[in-house]
Amino acid sequence: MSRSSRRIQQWKDTTIPRRPLLWLAAALLFTLPPMFGQLASWVPWLFLLALALKFWMEPRGYRLRSTILKLILAGLMLGAIFLSYATLKGIEPAVSFLAVLVSIKILEAHTAREFHAIVMMAWVLCLCGFLLSQDFAVAFCLFVAFALLIAALVQFHRGSSPGAFWVPLATTFKLLAQAAPVVVLLFLLFPRINTGLQLRIGDFHAAVTGFSDRLSPGGIETLANSSEIAFRAEFPDNRTGPPGPKYWRGLVMWRCEGMEWRGPYSPKSISDSPRPYPASDKAIRQRITIAPHGLRWMFALDRPFGIPSGAVLARGNYMYSVRPIRKPRRYEVLSSIEPIDKELDAYERRQALQLPASITPAVRELAASWATHDSEPRAIVKSALQFFRTQGFRYSLSPGEYNKNDLEEFLFHRRTGFCEHYAASFAALMRLAGIPARVVVGYLGGEYNDLGGFFLVRQADTHAWCEVWIPENGWMRVDPTTAVAPDRAGQDLSSFLAGRVASGEMATGRSALLTRLARLALVNQVRSIWEALNYQWDTRVLGFDADVQDVLLTSLGLTNSGPLPLVVQVLIVISALLIIYASWMQWRTRRRVDRIQALYERYCQKLAHIGLQRDPWEGPVDFARRATQSLPNASKYVRQIAETYIALRYAPGPTVTSVDKFAKEINAFIAHM
């Protein structure tokens, strides 16, 4: 063989075949979604560029060969990561660097060993993607990537043998199906060393959330377009919940500074104080799954009283968690449909009448005019709502900037605002009129999912309203926003805005095509299905913590006496299943091998019948060579049968299809003879 021929043969031996490369590229593409959501924007684009370059370089025999150049690229990328994050510590810089290394390895890979190295690195990248985000969509993409990596290995080891496109996928599904029982058992029975599968690594306070202990102008309106999930709520006793608007209580604010309100610096617990509980027919039971936000806010329908463990009921009738909520938390809570507190102590009265020093005379005169006309609290509240309803106030997502002392500017000049503007100004006016008042921040409404039977409440549904003290009735909810936008109370914000856009009262930044698509029944149905799947993923998988596992083990009759005994029990069960599975596979393989031998013996008997006897010590190759010389007309069948017999007889696990094919070859030979 000439030198050029040897060089061509060496190039063919070391080049990664195109089919495994396609499977690998498809798998790597499915690892991108968590990168786009969590990493610096240039990292996934660099990853895509490396994949595109690989398909251009591979047919031409190009690859990244220089070690010095690879080190320089790695150093430059490390510097870019430092500039993007201002640190090299943390999960995001680490995953970014791994993605960069995989990109360089893709450009370098040219041999079977390097192909296997990329597959291993891609599996690690899948794990890192799950650390970045555990959303259902991300988990689905990473599972597909994991499966496609197995398909890439299967295709690589098949070589250039002919076969349908689905053969590697079929093998992959068989392998995953065999591993599925062990995975399910480990998931259900292996002791939980943490409180669930939600692994949020990063800054929770940087997340988009509608909550803080301060209500300032513009603080809620910025969330109007946020699709982030705040929580999901079920009503076990009534699938669609109680009729009427659904006000989800989150925080009560007492300190007034004009247009700005603040909550207490340290909430005072009233959980242990004796309080009259309402009758069972006046209580609403909710099952809420709250998204992790790293803070302590918890939510329930107005007037919660039956709180879950690990929560405290604070002064003002709102809940907060003893520990920061860093994973999806599922809890049940009872709420009253009627006011609970019928007495106002002196401390709360002083707090509920506190006023800032910077109230202008015009604002004071407005509140005093209502009290002068009729000093009865209900009449004052009615006059204030009538003022907002008739004096040209507008509900707007972009009312412009207000300062905390711009109460007069809002009430008498611009008269444009969002819910926080109306709640803050109304509560301040009530205090000026001598009525104890406070501001409540929470959520309003929610989108009902028929398939899952739950309400989905997003950050965009954040809302602020007021409570005023009415003698003999207690704290009564008053939402001044409904005086300006009456339809807001009965809908989530997205539906309310969509209705206003449809009626022409409000413009939208989206195109007309996207607006029409969003209203299609099919689109809404698909979205409902997807949200129901997300809910099941969050509650059944990510929410499967130690408490849920204890309930499951108790129902199965397995007492959880500690992690070590449970680990031993799990290992015994898994070992028993593996032994049963291995025995079954060996029995199936043995049956197939016995059938192969029986078919070959039938073939030998046919040859003996026509005068060609096989010697006991004669191997299948030697016997085939002698049979070919004696039967030149049947040489094609003889060689094919010998090759198939050797391949099947010594294969680790012949398939049913391959054995059936061998039987057809034997039958064809007998029919030919």
Side-chain angles (χ1 to χ4, degrees):
M1 182 182 294
S2 65
R3 181 178 299 177
S4 60
S5 300
R6 286 197 301 270
R7 185 174 299 171
I8 293 174
Q9 183 65 33
Q10 183 180 7
W11 181 84
K12 289 183 178 180
D13 291 340
T14 58
T15 300
I16 300 174
R18 188 169 183 81
R19 275 195 178 184
L21 190 61
L22 287 171
W23 285 111
L24 177 61
L28 292 175
L29 287 176
F30 276 94
T31 64
L32 286 173
M35 294 189 198
F36 277 111
Q38 302 291 334
L39 303 183
S41 58
W42 62 269
V43 174
W45 288 112
L46 175 68
F47 198 76
L48 283 172
L49 178 63
L51 280 176
L53 281 175
K54 183 63 178 177
F55 279 93
W56 179 82
M57 295 165 61
E58 191 67 22
R60 296 166 175 79
Y62 299 151
R63 63 188 178 100
L64 189 61
R65 302 173 183 271
S66 173
T67 303
I68 296 176
L69 181 57
K70 286 183 281 188
L71 291 175
I72 292 174
L73 287 175
L76 290 175
M77 295 301 103
L78 190 62
I81 292 171
F82 181 78
L83 292 176
S84 299
Y85 297 100
T87 181
L88 295 178
K89 296 180 180 179
I91 187 68
E92 289 88 357
V95 177
S96 298
F97 190 58
L98 177 62
V100 167
L101 292 180
V102 174
S103 302
I104 296 175
K105 192 65 180 178
I106 289 171
L107 298 177
E108 176 197 24
H110 201 63
T111 64
R113 180 178 179 181
E114 291 169 339
F115 177 83
H116 285 85
I118 294 178
V119 172
M120 297 299 175
M121 294 174 73
W123 272 328
V124 176
L125 201 59
C126 289
L127 176 61
C128 293
F130 194 73
L131 292 176
L132 288 173
S133 173
Q134 293 90 52
D135 290 341
F136 178 71
V138 170
F140 177 78
C141 289
L142 294 178
F143 175 77
V144 173
F146 185 87
L148 290 177
L149 288 171
I150 299 176
L153 284 177
V154 172
Q155 183 66 66
F156 185 85
H157 288 285
R158 280 176 55 86
S160 58
S161 59
F165 173 79
W166 299 104
V167 172
L169 280 183
T171 305
T172 299
F173 289 146
K174 289 179 182 177
L175 293 173
L176 293 176
Q178 293 169 8
V182 176
V183 173
V184 172
L185 279 175
L186 287 173
F187 173 77
L188 294 176
L189 302 180
F190 199 83
R192 289 289 183 266
I193 59 176
N194 56 11
T195 54
L197 291 179
Q198 184 79 17
L199 304 172
R200 179 69 181 268
I201 302 176
D203 185 10
F204 281 93
H205 299 278
V208 177
T209 176
F211 263 78
S212 71
D213 58 356
R214 175 179 297 186
L215 179 70
S216 56
I220 295 180
E221 70 188 53
T222 56
L223 299 167
N225 294 318
S226 173
S227 60
E228 295 289 329
I229 295 174
F231 60 90
R232 302 178 181 92
E234 296 179 71
F235 295 94
D237 302 325
N238 182 1
R239 186 177 174 89
T240 58
K246 292 174 176 57
Y247 285 85
W248 305 95
R249 196 180 194 87
L251 174 65
V252 174
M253 298 183 175
W254 300 82
R255 185 176 178 183
C256 173
E257 297 181 4
M259 295 285 285
E260 184 173 285
W261 286 69
R262 292 186 180 182
Y265 294 113
S266 56
K268 184 178 180 181
S269 172
I270 59 172
S271 300
D272 299 329
S273 60
R275 309 172 69 219
Y277 280 0
S280 58
D281 59 337
K282 302 293 185 181
I284 304 169
R285 186 160 63 105
Q286 310 126 66
R287 187 174 295 138
I288 295 176
T289 305
I290 188 172
H293 50 70
L295 300 175
R296 298 175 186 265
W297 317 123
M298 299 176 67
F299 309 101
L301 280 183
D302 242 351
R303 309 179 188 95
F305 66 91
I307 63 174
S309 60
V312 174
L313 194 63
R315 183 182 293 273
N317 262 43
Y318 66 94
M319 296 189 303
Y320 70 95
S321 176
V322 175
R323 294 182 178 85
I325 299 174
R326 301 187 180 277
K327 74 177 189 72
R329 180 171 177 178
R330 189 174 174 87
Y331 57 89
E332 281 197 4
V333 61
L334 292 174
S335 297
S336 173
I337 62 177
E338 294 181 348
I340 299 176
D341 296 319
K342 296 297 179 70
E343 295 183 1
L344 184 65
D345 60 39
Y347 174 77
E348 284 192 353
R349 179 175 290 275
R350 284 196 305 271
Q351 276 197 316
L353 289 173
Q354 172 265 332
L355 284 168
S358 57
I359 297 293
T360 62
V363 178
R364 291 182 182 272
E365 290 175 6
L366 176 64
S369 67
W370 299 332
T372 302
H373 183 266
D374 191 338
S375 61
E376 204 277 324
R378 292 182 184 274
I380 294 175
V381 171
K382 184 178 179 180
S383 298
L385 292 176
Q386 186 68 12
F387 172 77
F388 283 106
R389 190 178 295 114
T390 60
Q391 296 301 313
F393 285 88
R394 293 190 303 111
Y395 183 88
S396 173
L397 298 181
S398 54
E401 294 185 2
Y402 287 95
N403 295 321
K404 66 179 182 179
N405 297 322
D406 284 349
L407 191 55
E408 181 178 350
E409 175 73 15
F410 171 69
L411 291 174
F412 298 106
H413 302 289
R414 291 162 59 179
R415 295 182 175 177
T416 301
F418 201 54
C419 63
E420 69 263 38
H421 302 88
Y422 292 103
S425 60
F426 183 88
L429 289 170
M430 289 299 98
R431 289 189 177 187
L432 285 169
I435 300 177
R438 60 194 186 189
V439 172
V440 184
V441 181
Y443 295 89
L444 174 59
E447 182 182 351
Y448 184 67
N449 189 292
D450 291 315
L451 295 175
F454 62 89
F455 283 88
L456 175 63
V457 182
R458 304 183 185 274
Q459 294 294 348
D461 297 318
T462 306
H463 192 65
W465 63 93
C466 299
E467 285 184 337
V468 296
W469 180 263
I470 305 296
E472 299 180 358
N473 290 101
W475 288 106
M476 302 292 293
R477 179 177 64 237
V478 180
D479 189 355
T481 304
T482 58
V484 182
D487 297 336
R488 173 65 182 98
Q491 307 176 69
D492 60 280
L493 184 63
S494 300
S495 302
F496 170 73
L497 295 179
R500 287 214 157 189
V501 170
S503 64
E505 298 179 47
M506 186 178 293
T508 178
R510 296 187 299 178
S511 66
L513 176 60
L514 292 178
T515 304
R516 285 196 297 269
L517 286 176
R519 297 177 191 168
L520 291 177
L522 178 61
V523 174
N524 290 327
Q525 184 70 11
V526 171
R527 187 162 56 90
S528 296
I529 294 172
W530 183 253
E531 288 170 353
L533 290 174
N534 269 283
Y535 183 53
Q536 295 301 320
W537 169 260
D538 287 344
T539 55
R540 307 297 181 188
V541 180
L542 298 183
F544 191 84
D545 55 14
D547 295 334
V548 179
Q549 188 183 52
D550 288 343
V551 174
L552 175 66
L553 293 177
T554 303
S555 64
L556 294 177
L558 301 174
T559 304
N560 188 1
S561 56
L564 185 58
L566 187 57
V567 169
V568 173
Q569 294 174 6
V570 171
L571 291 179
I572 291 174
V573 172
I574 291 177
S575 299
L577 289 176
L578 291 176
I579 291 173
I580 294 172
Y581 176 74
S583 302
W584 178 63
M585 291 297 294
Q586 186 176 8
W587 176 73
R588 287 183 60 191
T589 304
R590 181 63 179 269
R591 284 188 61 192
R592 292 171 191 167
V593 172
D594 292 343
R595 185 185 174 197
I596 293 168
Q597 188 63 33
L599 289 171
Y600 187 72
E601 293 295 336
R602 182 185 174 194
Y603 159 75
C604 293
Q605 290 173 6
K606 179 64 177 177
L607 290 177
H609 183 71
I610 61 177
L612 191 61
Q613 186 72 34
R614 175 175 176 261
D615 296 329
W617 58 83
E618 194 172 20
V621 176
D622 295 333
F623 183 52
R625 186 180 299 111
R626 187 159 60 89
T628 301
Q629 295 174 355
S630 303
L631 303 169
N633 294 332
S635 60
K636 179 182 70 172
Y637 293 99
V638 171
R639 286 195 301 269
Q640 187 174 357
I641 289 172
E643 292 173 358
T644 305
Y645 172 72
I646 293 172
L648 294 179
R649 188 65 179 83
Y650 301 102
T655 63
V656 176
T657 304
S658 60
V659 177
D660 291 341
K661 184 179 178 181
F662 184 54
K664 291 180 180 179
E665 293 177 1
I666 299 294
N667 293 332
F669 171 78
I670 293 174
H672 178 76
M673 299 302 297

